[in-house]
Amino acid sequence: MEFTPLTIIAGTNASGKSNLFDALMLLSRLAETDKLQNAFKEQRGEMIELFTQYDEDNYASEMEFAVEMLVNKKVKDAWGGIADLKYTRLRYELKIKRFKNESGIEDLAVVFEHLENLKHNDDIWIKLIQKDKLDYWRPKILKGGRRAIPYIFTEERSGFPTVVVPQDGVQGGNKRNFPLINASKTVLSSFDSIDFRHILAAKEEMKSWKFLQLNPEDLRQPTSKKTGEDTISSSGQNLAAALYRIQQQDNYNLIEISRKLNSFLPNFTEVSVIDDKENKQYLISVKGEDGKEFTSRVLSEGTLRLLALCIIEYDEKHTGLLCFEEPENGIHPFRIKSMARMLKDLTTDFINTDMPLRQAIVNTHSPVLVNEMIQWKNDENVSVHFSQMRTRITEVEGTKIKMNITKITPVLKDFPPQTTIVFSEQDRKLTIATIKEYLQTADFENTIKTLDSK
C-alpha cells in the first residue's frame, strides 16, 4: 500500500481493517522491545495465531514485513546528541520465524533484517510532494555522495545468517556483526546512538507510531500527578496532564484549542485545565456559551473525542504515525464532517514546510465519513482504500489450499491529470460512490439480520 498523510481505510466489520493496525503495532513494538516474545504478547490472540493459518493446526513458519518511511531530517538520542540525516527516505525489512526450542515450546527468532536508503529514481511515493518542496523533505544529495551500502543487511557467514551493520557515514569503516543464531530481538532495537543515525531515525520513527482506541471513561478521568505521565495513551488516559503541559509550554495554545473546539462545537467557548493541588491531579474543564462550566467527567463521548483531537493537534510531542480505530464511534452523523476536518488538520501538508511530520491512518465502516473525503478529491495528501475479505487458492508445500485473505484496494478519488502517485492494479480501483453504496447496503443487511435474530 502507498499511504498518504491522511489515509482512510473503509470496510465492513470483519473485513480485516484491524489486521493492518495489528501489523503496524507489532513492528512498532519490535523496534524497541528487548525480546520478540514480549512484542507478540501485546497482540491479539496467541503467538502462533499471528502467523498465517493454512488450515486446522497448519500455520506458516515465517512472517515477513517491509515498510518504507519518510523520517525527520534530524535525530536525537537518549543522551541529547543531535545529528542531521543525509537520507530521509528509508526502507526496513524484517523476517521472523517460529520454531520449537530445546524445551519443545514455540519460540521466535529473527532470520533476516535490512535497512537501506531509497534511491531517488526508484522512489515513486516521494513524487507525491510538489517539486518546489521536495528538497526540504528529502534533502538533495551532492554529486558523488550517494550511499551504496545498506545501513543493516543480512548475509551468510560460516553457514549462519549474520546481520552486518557498517559504521554510519564512514566509508570503509568498522562493521558490527550479529550472528542470527535464534536471535531473540531485532538488531534495529539495539541502537540508541547518533553514531548510527539512520538506524536510530528508523527506530525512533517506528517507536512513535500511536494507536488510538479512545475510551470515554479514560478520557473523562483526571490525571494523577503521581503517575509521571503527561502524554495521551491509546485509550485517552492522561488527557488532562497533556493539556496542562501544553499550556505551560505556551498559554496561547490553550486559546487556540478553545477556538478549534468552538469552531466545531459552538456551544463550548473555552477550554481550561484545573490544577487540583488538594487531590494532586489535573482536570479538564470547558465553559459553555451561557457561562456555565463543565468538567470532563460529565462531557459526552463525542465531545471528548473531538476535544482529544484538538489537544493532539497542538501537542508538540505528537509526531509520526497515528492509527485511529473507527473515530466515528460516539459521534453524531452531523458531527462527522467536523471529525474529518480535524483529522485532516492533524496531518502534514507537504506544501507547509513549518509542519512536523504527522500522518494518520483511519479505519472506518461509516459511509458518512467516507463521503466527507470527497471534499478533498483534488488533494493528493488524502487517499481512500477499501478493505474486503477475498478467497485465494494458493499452494503450500505442494498442496493447494483455499484461504481467506484481506484485500485492501485503492479507491479512485478523481485525482487531477497532473497526479504523479502510482497505485498498483489500476484496473481494480473502486469509486467513492461504489464504496458508499457497499457500506450502506452491508450495514443495512447486518441490521436486518440482527433484528431477525431477536
Side-chain angles (χ1 to χ4, degrees), residues 30-90:
L30 290 169
E32 61 178 328
T33 186
D34 60 353
K35 192 175 182 182
L36 299 178
Q37 290 274 12
N38 293 337
F40 276 71
K41 285 177 182 177
E42 295 182 27
Q43 302 296 116
R44 296 182 296 168
E46 296 293 330
M47 181 191 76
I48 193 171
E49 293 178 292
L50 301 185
F51 289 80
T52 300
Q53 184 177 13
Y54 300 128
D55 53 36
E56 188 176 1
D57 296 325
N58 185 12
Y59 293 85
S61 60
E62 292 183 342
M63 63 171 63
E64 186 173 355
F65 302 92
V67 58
E68 295 176 356
M69 62 193 94
L70 174 66
V71 298
N72 287 297
K73 296 189 298 181
K74 291 182 182 292
V75 65
K76 183 177 181 180
D77 64 22
W79 299 274
I82 299 176
D84 293 318
L85 296 186
K86 191 173 183 179
Y87 299 94
T88 58
R89 286 285 287 151
L90 305 174

Side-chain angles (χ1 to χ4, degrees), residues 6-8 10 264 306 327-328 331-345 362 364-379 382-384 411 413 432-433 435-436 439-440:
L6 175 57
T7 300
I8 308 296
F264 297 122
L306 292 173
E328 69 274 6
I331 301 289
H332 190 278
F334 289 168
R335 299 295 187 197
I336 295 293
K337 184 173 184 178
S338 300
M339 170 68 74
R341 180 72 254 176
M342 295 182 78
L343 289 169
K344 179 69 170 65
D345 292 344
V362 174
T364 179
H365 52 68
S366 167
V368 181
L369 181 58
V370 172
N371 185 60
E372 290 304 326
M373 296 302 108
I374 295 174
Q375 64 179 302
W376 297 302
K377 66 181 180 181
N378 295 326
D379 189 338
V382 181
S383 64
V384 181
V411 176
K413 279 202 313 112
I432 289 284
I435 303 308
K436 287 166 54 184
L439 289 174
Q440 288 167 334

Side-chain angles (χ1 to χ4, degrees), residues 181-361:
I181 305 173
N182 295 337
S184 61
K185 63 182 292 187
T186 63
V187 170
L188 184 80
S189 66
S190 305
F191 286 85
D192 296 304
S193 167
I194 57 172
D195 292 338
F196 298 87
R197 60 196 63 183
H198 290 86
I199 298 177
L200 180 60
K203 174 182 177 177
E204 291 300 311
E205 165 61 27
M206 292 165 66
K207 282 172 55 181
S208 74
W209 298 349
K210 299 180 180 67
F211 302 85
L212 280 187
Q213 290 181 305
L214 295 177
N215 182 324
E217 291 307 311
D218 288 344
L219 289 168
R220 290 189 178 104
Q221 294 304 311
T223 305
S224 171
K225 295 182 179 181
K226 300 175 183 178
T227 64
E229 295 287 342
D230 64 359
T231 55
I232 302 170
S233 74
S234 61
S235 64
Q237 291 178 334
N238 312 319
L239 191 66
L243 183 59
Y244 185 81
R245 168 176 51 78
I246 293 168
Q247 178 191 30
Q248 294 301 107
Q249 291 169 347
D250 187 348
N251 193 56
Y252 185 72
N253 285 333
L254 205 58
I255 298 172
E256 287 300 299
I257 290 171
S258 298
R259 288 176 177 171
K260 173 76 74 170
L261 185 67
N262 176 254
S263 68
F264 297 122
L265 300 174
N267 51 320
F268 293 118
T269 60
E270 186 179 334
V271 179
S272 60
V273 57
I274 300 169
D275 183 358
D276 183 355
K277 293 183 171 62
E278 182 178 350
N279 295 304
K280 297 181 179 179
Q281 62 183 12
Y282 298 114
L283 181 64
I284 292 176
S285 174
V286 298
K287 182 181 290 186
E289 57 186 352
D290 58 0
K292 294 180 180 178
E293 294 192 19
F294 307 89
T295 68
S296 56
R297 293 191 181 101
V298 297
L299 296 177
S300 70
E301 179 179 349
T303 299
L304 288 166
R305 281 173 170 263
L306 292 173
L307 176 59
L309 289 179
C310 288
I311 293 173
I312 290 172
E313 181 181 350
Y314 287 90
D315 188 352
E316 291 182 357
K317 285 192 175 183
H318 167 53
T319 58
L321 173 63
L322 180 71
C323 293
F324 202 169
E325 189 100 29
E326 298 177 355
E328 69 274 6
N329 286 348
I331 301 289
H332 190 278
F334 289 168
R335 299 295 187 197
I336 295 293
K337 184 173 184 178
S338 300
M339 170 68 74
R341 180 72 254 176
M342 295 182 78
L343 289 169
K344 179 69 170 65
D345 292 344
L346 265 175
T347 59
T348 297
D349 183 345
F350 290 121
I351 295 175
N352 183 359
T353 55
D354 292 329
M355 291 189 72
L357 275 176
R358 288 178 169 180
Q359 185 177 27
I361 304 175

